[in-house]
Amino acid sequence: RGRKVMTVSAKGLGVAPLNTISPAQALALAKRAAVVDAYRQLGEKMYGIRIDAKIQFVIWLQEALLL
């Protein structure tokens, strides 16, 4: 039996927040948001799940601010 190989790709989009300490922090947060968005898209493609990115991001941001 031959196994089929499927390649799935996604591009995430992240926007730098305006209220950051430095431009470097804004860039890092934008990159992180893009990675999370890409993972969300892959989950939707591979497993047929829908993730509410807005709610998840708010929860993540609240947790990050508490650290």
Side-chain angles (χ1 to χ4, degrees):
R1 293 183 176 179
R3 295 183 118 189
K4 291 186 178 182
V5 176
M6 179 177 22
T7 302
V8 180
S9 64
K11 284 188 178 182
L13 176 65
V15 178
L18 297 175
N19 58 345
T20 57
I21 296 172
S22 68
Q25 183 188 28
L27 180 63
L29 290 172
K31 285 182 180 180
R32 179 64 184 149
V35 169
V36 170
D37 184 47
Y39 282 141
R40 177 188 58 81
Q41 290 180 39
L42 287 173
E44 290 177 1
K45 286 180 182 181
M46 294 175 63
Y47 302 110
I49 57 174
R50 291 293 292 171
I51 300 170
D52 186 347
K54 291 180 183 178
I55 298 297
Q56 296 298 324
F57 179 75
V58 169
I59 292 170
W60 173 81
L61 184 59
Q62 289 172 345
E63 290 174 355
L65 292 175
L66 292 175
L67 295 178

